[in-house]
Structures are given as structure tokens and as C-alpha cells.
Amino acid sequence: RALQQYRGEETLVARQQEIAVALEERDAGIEAQRRADTIAAAVEQSRKLEASGDLADAQQTIQTALKQYPGEETLVARQQEIAVAVEERDARIEAQRRADAIAAAIERSRRRQAAGDLVGAEQALATALAQYPDDPLLAEKLAEIDAARAQLALTRHEEALRSIVALESAAEAANG
């Protein structure tokens, strides 16, 4: 009202401008605090979700905050941390799946070998080795089966030779 009553009064105009600037600064401060609080809450929530094993929701929490504050460094950095955690989790899952598959193949091979089925034992390992060609344990077990097959072939060959010698001896004795 004072401005209407005393138009052009420089002191009042200056004071009005000071008040306007102070209000803008206050509002900017409030918005900056709100932004900082929102970002901190999103980061904290994503950490809790990650700790509970829920990486998908942790990612979603950060993505939602990034929609509100695109390019925010703290959020971008957290998004990258979560991406690394997802990659590590996926690598652990793959490593476990691989270890389980290899262990199952070795167990199948062992059972078949125990049953006298060396060909089946070898096939179980060869199938797994085709899937995991760089696995040293599979290669080692396959070499053991190959050695067992070679030993069996040698034993059979020796038995066949002994049988032939015995037959020849029997034939000579009968003829002779």
C-alpha cells in the first residue's frame, strides 16, 4: 500500500526489490534442499534395496529420480554402481550355473563308469566339455576315462592273446 500512496519513492522501491530478491533466494534454497533431500532419499532407498538383493527395484528407484533430475551426478554415479552390482551378480549366477553343470556331468560320468559303461562316461564328459571347452577338471576327467578305456582295451587284448595261446596249446596237445 505504501508504494501506491508514495509512488516513485526510491527507498520503498529499493526495499520492495530487496524483499523480492530475498524471497527468490529463500525459494531457491528451499528448492535446492528439496532436491538434495529427494536425491539423498533415492540413493538411500536404492542402497537398502540393493542390500536386500532387489537390484531391479534399486535401479528403478534411481531411474525415477533421474527423470526428475536428469544428469544429476550423484544419481548417475549410483546408477553406475548398481550396473556394476548387476554385472557381478549375473557373473556369480553364471559361475554357479557352470559349476553345477560341470559337477552334474562329472557325477553322471562317475555313475556310468561305476556301472562299467566307459563309453557313456566319456559321452557325459564330452558333452559338458563341448559346452565348457576351457574347463580343466572336465578335461582331466575325460583323460582319466580315456586312460581307463585304453587299459580295458589292453586287458581285453591280453586276455584274447592268452585265450589264443591256450587254444593253440590245446590243439597241439590234441594233435599230438
Side-chain angles (χ1 to χ4, degrees):
R1 276 194 247 172
L3 279 175
Q4 291 173 351
Q5 188 175 1
Y6 302 105
R7 289 190 190 270
E9 183 62 40
E10 289 181 31
T11 308
L12 291 176
V13 170
R15 184 66 185 138
Q16 181 185 26
Q17 290 173 344
E18 287 173 9
I19 291 171
V21 168
L23 288 174
E24 286 177 15
E25 288 173 354
R26 182 203 66 191
D27 291 346
I30 290 171
E31 179 53 34
Q33 186 61 48
R34 186 175 308 146
R35 176 185 176 112
D37 291 346
T38 300
I39 291 167
V43 169
E44 181 181 343
Q45 179 64 20
S46 75
R47 289 194 193 287
K48 287 179 182 176
L49 290 165
E50 179 184 5
S52 73
D54 192 351
L55 291 173
D57 280 350
Q59 281 179 319
Q60 184 60 46
T61 298
I62 296 301
Q63 287 173 349
T64 300
L66 276 168
K67 286 178 186 174
Q68 191 173 359
Y69 302 111
E72 171 60 41
E73 288 180 31
T74 304
L75 296 173
V76 171
R78 181 67 185 131
Q79 186 178 43
Q80 291 169 347
E81 290 172 5
I82 295 169
V84 168
V86 167
E87 288 175 14
E88 289 171 351
R89 179 207 56 200
D90 291 349
R92 282 190 309 274
I93 289 170
E94 175 57 26
Q96 185 61 51
R97 187 185 67 72
R98 176 186 173 120
D100 290 347
I102 289 169
I106 290 171
E107 178 58 23
R108 275 192 307 278
S109 175
R110 186 198 61 73
R111 283 194 316 266
R112 289 179 180 170
Q113 183 178 7
D117 180 9
L118 291 178
V119 172
E122 183 178 49
Q123 287 174 343
L125 293 173
T127 300
L129 199 56
Q131 191 171 2
Y132 305 108
D134 61 337
D135 188 79
L137 185 57
L138 286 173
E140 176 186 328
K141 294 296 183 186
L142 188 57
E144 289 173 11
I145 296 295
D146 287 343
R149 286 184 67 188
Q151 182 60 46
L152 180 62
L154 181 61
T155 301
R156 286 182 180 165
H157 180 72
E158 289 172 351
E159 288 173 358
L161 287 177
R162 279 193 294 273
S163 293
I164 291 171
V165 168
L167 286 173
E168 286 177 349
S169 293
E172 284 178 14
N175 289 335

